[in-house]
Amino acid sequence: MILFYRLTLCLVMLAPGILHAAQKSKNAKPNVIIIYTDDQGAIDLNCFGAKDLVTPNMDKLVGSGVKFTQFYGAPICSPSRAGLLTGKTPQRAGVGGNVSSMSDEAGMPTEQYTIAEMFKDAGYKTAQIGKWHLGQGKDKQPNAQGFDYSFGHLVGCIDNYSHFFYWEGPNRHDLYRNGEEVFYPGEYFPDLMVKEASAFFEENQSEPFFMYYAMNTPHYPYQGYPKWLEYYQDKGVEYPRDLYAAFVSTMDEEVGKLIAKLKELGLLENTIIVLQADNGYSTEERAHHGGGSAGVYRGSKFSLFEGGIRVPAAISWPGHLKEGEVRGQIAVNADWMPTLAEMCGIDLDTSDLDGKSLMPIIDNSKAESNHNAFCWKFGNSWAARNGDWKLLGHPFVNGEKFSAQDSLFLVNLVNDPGEQTNLAKQYPEKVKELEEQYAVWLTNNSTGKKEITDSDE
């Protein structure tokens, strides 16, 4: 009888561990979270070169995996998000410019196969938390694009306390859960995002999940925690950098809360986390004409100079990827879809994608870039890159005027990372070569065909 009681006691004591082991076995596939920040400068994390910011949580996240120093999004919000979610160029994803807030017809076409649909087809629970900006019509919303659960705002930005969109047309409330309007007046939107994400983690911790965590920070309106604003003002940081910096440190704090929740639930070691900004920092009036920094890189949001499209990016998976690794190969946000498919063992047809798996580069710092040749287009401006050379057509930087002779602007990014000197006259053959590359790209993207790059030929 004594032996029976001892055995019973042992089983009771072991039960939590047995259940946890069974849970981990059931959830053998890794979870995936993409943290997408908004209008963040190219160097605006300490680990990417900033000297005046407090960003310990994102610095730790980047340091726990692989950091990319030549990573590209798009020059504005909607195209960048479309490229991320489809694995294609924004043009082929059907979103060449920002999606209008005034039309239910505008947005990413539902026939596009998204990364959320990829994970859902592979048995994952999927969630979108935060900013959408890819269509507000019912057929364009997150739940119609592969997400089981969604919470956030549908258009470009909101006030973080009232959750109203103030910047185009009549003022209107913009906060939805699974397509139904919800109201949390006075509650801080970044905190609401953490709360919603945490609940999703708790409810789905026994099965694999994919979360697209699209932050509304540090996009205007700059509404960081008062303690951070006081901190930067006490440090003598000048306006508008003080407002922007306070919002970045607030964002860092929110990312820290998200990661802490994963750790609390025992999920962190089995979770792949991607961190990336969508485009460069804003110089719009509503962003106080600046505050962010691209360091030596010229340009900002809306520009195809490096400051508009080169963004902070990293991937972490504790125990699976080496820590503190740095990669300088050219990479783009369309690469995440095939990369994550490979990492998670998902069979994905990549024949119609422009993105390519980054795993060879992640595994080997000396691997060749997937995109030795690449092109971008926004409005009348375009850019073609091949190796170290980059040609800009009709370049744009807010507040700068370009002469007719600079309508074609050639740079060598190794010798001139700030893109200050136009070499078009000195290297006419290189100009011709890159013009031809862009012409082919434009034709293919206009007809919806897969982009042709050197690595495809």
Side-chain angles (χ1 to χ4, degrees), residues 77-140:
C77 299
S78 297
S80 183
R81 291 155 204 279
L84 167 78
L85 294 179
T86 65
K88 298 178 180 180
T89 65
Q91 288 72 25
R92 294 187 61 242
V95 188
N98 269 348
V99 173
S100 171
S101 65
M102 305 300 289
S103 168
D104 286 351
E105 302 301 318
M108 186 168 69
T110 52
E111 59 265 25
Q112 293 290 348
Y113 186 71
T114 70
I115 192 171
E117 290 169 315
M118 176 190 83
F119 276 110
K120 190 172 182 176
D121 288 345
Y124 280 65
K125 290 293 184 180
T126 59
Q128 175 268 336
I129 307 291
K131 172 174 174 173
W132 182 238
H133 206 187
L134 287 171
Q136 62 190 30
K138 284 289 186 181
D139 65 329
K140 302 293 194 302

Side-chain angles (χ1 to χ4, degrees), residues 303-351:
S303 177
L304 293 176
F305 281 108
E306 295 292 286
I309 55 176
R310 187 186 290 220
V311 295
I315 185 169
S316 170
W317 188 9
H320 295 82
L321 300 181
K322 293 180 180 179
E323 296 186 2
E325 294 287 303
V326 180
R327 298 292 183 266
Q329 293 92 332
I330 299 168
V332 299
N333 60 352
D335 293 334
W336 289 130
M337 186 170 177
T339 301
L340 294 170
E342 183 173 348
M343 293 178 78
C344 298
I346 298 172
D347 185 15
L348 174 68
D349 180 4
T350 61
S351 61

Side-chain angles (χ1 to χ4, degrees), residues 382 384 389-393 405 407-411 422-439:
W382 56 270
W389 291 95
K390 180 180 173 185
L391 179 68
L392 295 100
Q405 67 179 8
S407 62
L408 289 174
F409 200 100
L410 179 69
V411 297
N422 187 359
L423 301 176
K425 286 187 177 180
Q426 291 95 312
Y427 298 94
E429 291 302 316
K430 183 59 67 175
V431 170
K432 182 180 179 182
E433 174 189 329
L434 290 170
E435 279 189 295
E436 291 175 351
Q437 175 183 313
Y438 174 69

Side-chain angles (χ1 to χ4, degrees), residues 113 222 243 341 358 365 390 448:
Y113 186 71
Y222 295 158
L243 303 179
L358 293 168
S365 63
K390 180 180 173 185

Side-chain angles (χ1 to χ4, degrees), residues 46 52-57 188 223-237 241-254 257:
N46 284 355
D52 59 345
L53 298 177
V54 179
T55 55
N57 295 298
Y188 192 49
Q223 294 175 310
Y225 285 142
K227 68 175 183 179
W228 285 117
L229 184 57
E230 292 171 9
Y231 170 86
Y232 285 107
Q233 290 177 341
D234 288 345
K235 291 291 184 181
V237 177
R241 180 70 171 175
D242 60 337
L243 303 179
Y244 174 88
F247 213 16
V248 170
S249 289
T250 300
M251 173 173 69
D252 182 80
E253 197 169 324
E254 300 293 339
K257 293 175 186 177

